[in-house]
Amino acid sequence: MALASGKPFMLYVAPTAPHRSSTDGATWYPPTPPKRYANLYQGENLQAPRTPNFGVRNPTLPRKGTPRVDAAFGAYMDELFVARLRALRAVDDLVGNLVARLNESGVLNNTYVIFTSDNGYVSADFRDDEE
């Protein structure tokens, strides 16, 4: 193990959460949180942020038809938002556990931890559901 060797090492971790998944590239499924977070935030009436671009079609993507921005669309985006939060909580656990392990091993004070994310759009901005 890298820690036991006492030599410098690099660890790259890339969880899929909070991304949606697909088996065929056409049908997308919400993120699946671990069972311990399956009911997290239940009853809290969380809502996807309604930014000025909520439901606005992305002008750079060729799409046909009229975008659907109605109550059903809003409810779907709210469900997706909560599913992402639940899955992201597991990412929080993962990072916390890694930092704790580095600390327990005595190398945390000589370690750089860099966290980055590719989740730039807010749900439903530029019709995020069309991907």
Side-chain angles (χ1 to χ4, degrees), residues 17-119:
H19 292 282
R20 294 187 286 174
S21 62
S22 176
T23 55
D24 61 7
T27 305
W28 291 91
Y29 303 97
T32 304
K35 290 179 183 179
R36 68 184 179 274
Y37 295 132
N39 296 313
L40 187 66
Y41 309 119
Q42 189 170 338
E44 294 188 31
N45 297 318
L46 295 177
Q47 190 178 59
R50 300 313 200 254
T51 68
N53 291 322
F54 185 83
V56 173
R57 181 160 294 191
N58 185 335
T60 64
L61 296 176
R63 302 285 186 209
K64 297 178 181 178
T66 305
R68 178 180 55 95
V69 182
D70 54 15
F73 171 79
Y76 169 74
M77 295 314 299
D78 293 341
E79 288 176 24
L80 181 58
F81 178 71
V82 172
R84 285 178 171 161
L85 289 178
R86 289 173 176 156
L88 192 56
R89 183 65 182 268
V91 176
D92 291 342
D93 293 348
L94 177 121
V95 173
N97 289 335
L98 283 173
V99 170
R101 179 75 171 110
L102 291 168
N103 189 44
E104 292 165 5
S105 300
V107 298
L108 183 60
N109 289 336
N110 193 28
T111 301
Y112 290 99
V113 176
I114 300 169
F115 184 88
T116 186
S117 171
D118 66 344
N119 295 296

